[in-house]
Amino acid sequence: MNVILFGAPGAGKGTYAKRLKEIYNIPHISTGDLLRNTVQNNPEIGKKLNAYMSVGKFVPDELVFEALKERLKEHDVKKGFLLDGFPRTITQAKMLEEVSKVDCVLNFDVDISVLMYRASWRRICHKCNAIYHLKTIVPKREGICDFCNGKLYQREDDKEEIVKKRQEDYRNQTAPLIEYYKTNNILYTINGNLDLSDPNQHIILDCQKILDSFKT
Ligand code: AMP
């Protein structure tokens, strides 16, 4: 089952992916995480990537796609994937189609005010990439990851001015993919305005209703 998790920055793609990968036992592939890992582990390419990422700009297609293609060759992807952060443009959607089929696109639809609120309080674990929100998904110890004791940090691109720019890029360059996937009949839209810490996990249940029909 090959799934794209789609939505604006802050829509909750990464948070839901972490729950869905447990349910369906397929890997969560985030191009943002792949690129951030390269920045940490490969200073030479990392410097180049960081010039885009630290100011919230799209990394050039070839660089992102190269990282994604390598990841898609790994064994665990045979059962499928939950792809998060790719494609961000129609060009990228076509690149993906050359190497993989896509069964379903889950589009998390979230109001702009909610998106801004989420991004400004989001914190990430340096070590395991776990996602927190200082108002709704609060770590047990301030600044420390519940899972691995890693230090939490605010992404450079979650700062207000950069968030605004990323939302604008989403509207102009990424949102047209909604029509693209609608036309391909694989788009499923979910109301993503509910709180990410929603104890009843309504959004996860909504995802399951859709994804269960693609299970092999
Ligand atoms: P994300 O974690 O998905 O919010 O991505 C963080 C940053 O990584 C983005 O702001 C971009 O600089 C870069 N990035 C991730 N995925 C892509 C992509 N598909 N195309 C271009 N840049 C990307």
Side-chain angles (χ1 to χ4, degrees):
M1 172 168 73
N2 297 346
V3 181
I4 292 175
L5 303 175
F6 189 85
K13 304 182 291 292
T15 303
Y16 302 131
K18 286 183 171 64
R19 296 187 199 169
L20 293 171
K21 78 171 186 183
E22 306 297 334
I23 299 171
Y24 293 100
N25 197 24
I26 50 176
H28 166 212
I29 302 176
S30 149
T31 48
D33 285 348
L34 290 178
L35 296 170
R36 279 185 288 276
N37 288 341
T38 310
V39 170
Q40 277 189 4
N41 301 325
N42 186 333
E44 208 177 303
I45 309 177
K47 221 169 142 191
K48 211 163 151 189
L49 294 176
N50 215 24
Y52 299 96
M53 294 171 74
S54 62
V55 290
K57 278 192 185 159
F58 286 0
V59 167
D61 291 341
E62 320 78 63
L63 289 178
V64 192
F65 191 55
E66 204 43 54
L68 177 61
K69 249 186 357 195
E70 284 308 304
R71 180 66 186 87
L72 290 177
K73 284 182 193 158
E74 286 178 35
H75 187 73
D76 62 340
V77 177
K78 290 215 158 40
K79 283 179 289 184
F81 54 73
L82 298 159
L83 185 55
D84 156 14
F86 195 99
R88 269 172 152 90
T89 60
I90 304 250
T91 308
Q92 290 186 2
K94 292 189 170 151
M95 287 171 127
L96 177 63
E97 280 159 24
E98 279 171 26
V99 295
S100 178
K101 80 173 169 65
V102 175
D103 295 308
C104 161
V105 178
L106 293 181
N107 171 31
F108 298 100
D109 188 26
V110 184
D111 295 345
I112 184 75
S113 57
V114 178
L115 293 170
M116 295 301 292
Y117 172 73
R118 283 186 189 165
S120 54
W121 295 102
R122 179 160 64 177
R123 298 293 181 275
I124 312 283
C125 172
H126 251 299
K127 251 197 201 162
C128 73
N129 294 321
I131 303 168
Y132 295 85
H133 183 279
L134 297 186
K135 298 285 173 194
T136 55
I137 309 174
V138 185
K140 292 195 185 89
R141 284 166 300 160
E142 196 182 325
I144 306 286
C145 178
D146 293 347
F147 304 105
C148 72
N149 292 328
K151 255 186 155 175
L152 306 186
Y153 72 103
Q154 182 178 35
R155 280 168 42 175
E156 205 47 48
D157 57 0
D158 273 345
K159 304 209 166 132
E160 191 177 343
E161 276 319 299
I162 298 183
V163 170
K164 282 187 185 152
K165 186 194 172 314
R166 294 175 76 214
Q167 295 296 345
E168 201 181 298
D169 287 344
Y170 170 80
R171 271 196 303 279
N172 295 334
Q173 301 189 56
T174 308
L177 280 166
I178 294 175
E179 277 311 309
Y180 180 80
Y181 285 124
K182 231 186 230 171
T183 313
N184 291 358
N185 281 323
I186 54 170
L187 187 91
Y188 298 82
T189 295
I190 290 175
N191 179 350
N193 283 307
L194 276 177
D195 200 301
L196 291 181
S197 63
D198 170 24
N200 296 317
Q201 301 197 348
H202 288 299
I203 294 181
I204 294 296
L205 291 176
D206 286 349
C207 294
Q208 283 183 266
K209 275 182 213 150
I210 298 161
L211 294 181
D212 282 352
S213 65
F214 292 98
K215 246 186 346 193
T216 44

